[in-house]
Amino acid sequence: MENQTQHEYDQVIARCRQLFLAKTHDYGTAWRILRLPSVTDQIYIKAQRIRSIQEKGVQLVADGVEEEFVAIINYCIIALMQLGLPPEAPLELEPTAVAAAYDAQVAENRRLLFAKNHDYGEAWRQMRIESITDIILMKLHRTKQIEDLGGLTRVSEGVEANYRDMLNYAVFVLIKMGLGDSGS
């Protein structure tokens, strides 16, 4: 099962990466202007829309739920890249540097995924997509609370851990939706 998950994970991330780098070509690194709470709010908007569509059973805007989960993944990677950049980093980054930073964050998330998958035995495969959406929303509320506390927590992991978990949960959903299949 682990090889299957690795393959599916890589397929989903490849799709997200392709879109991210295409947008980097079109927009540059305009996302660099966003402070971390703004990135968190962008992820929140996407997750809340997904939940709204799940509850209503209908959508009026063309972008589908799959695209919103892709956006969550890419915004989580933006947040992780922002966390890793020094304060004096320029707003406009070279495309090769963006691709390398994207790949570095994905590699760390992939490592985390397989460590957790080992311990949890791929329990995510038995979860409902709606439950995963709720978990992402819960992690967003946690992240917002940590941000509101100025990052000062007593016992909790910081925002980085929450972004990493949200990223992996969004990948799980896309795998469950069939985007990790070879034919995608």
Side-chain angles (χ1 to χ4, degrees):
M1 185 65 88
E2 188 168 308
N3 284 339
Q4 177 186 351
T5 300
Q6 289 174 0
H7 174 73
E8 292 168 332
Y9 188 90
D10 293 343
Q11 291 291 318
V12 167
I13 290 296
R15 175 180 172 187
C16 296
R17 183 183 190 274
Q18 180 182 16
L19 178 63
F20 188 87
L21 295 180
K23 286 188 175 191
T24 299
H25 174 271
D26 292 351
Y27 304 134
T29 52
W31 53 265
R32 286 278 298 124
I33 200 78
L34 296 173
R35 292 171 283 189
L36 222 44
S38 298
V39 178
T40 302
D41 286 344
Q42 286 297 309
I43 299 167
Y44 177 79
I45 289 167
K46 300 299 184 183
Q48 188 58 47
R49 179 169 183 264
I50 292 166
R51 183 173 173 160
S52 176
I53 291 168
Q54 289 170 342
E55 289 175 349
K56 293 173 184 170
V58 73
Q59 67 186 60
L60 300 180
V61 176
D63 292 341
V65 169
E66 290 176 4
E67 288 83 7
E68 298 293 22
F69 278 110
V70 168
I72 288 172
I73 291 166
N74 283 337
Y75 274 118
C76 285
I77 293 172
I78 284 171
L80 294 166
M81 288 190 290
Q82 292 282 56
L83 281 168
L85 287 168
E88 68 277 1
L91 287 180
E92 197 57 42
L93 303 173
E94 291 296 321
T96 55
V98 173
Y102 190 102
D103 294 344
Q105 293 304 330
V106 165
E108 178 56 26
N109 247 71
R110 194 175 189 280
R111 185 205 59 76
L112 175 67
L113 166 80
F114 291 109
K116 287 189 173 187
N117 236 12
H118 174 270
D119 291 354
Y120 289 96
E122 296 207 325
W124 63 268
R125 288 194 182 270
Q126 304 307 312
M127 294 176 69
R128 295 173 189 95
I129 290 173
E130 293 80 3
S131 297
I132 296 174
T133 302
D134 290 348
I135 290 170
I136 291 171
L137 282 163
M138 177 191 65
K139 291 195 171 284
L140 282 161
H141 283 283
R142 287 179 177 180
T143 302
K144 290 168 92 170
Q145 179 65 25
I146 293 168
E147 289 170 347
D148 291 347
L149 291 171
L152 302 174
T153 60
R154 292 185 180 160
V155 296
S156 304
E157 297 175 307
V159 294
E160 180 180 348
N162 284 289
Y163 288 127
R164 293 200 182 282
D165 285 346
M166 289 184 282
L167 191 165
N168 280 339
Y169 276 117
V171 171
F172 294 158
V173 168
L174 292 175
I175 290 172
K176 290 178 76 66
M177 294 175 89
L179 269 65
D181 295 339
S182 301
S184 297

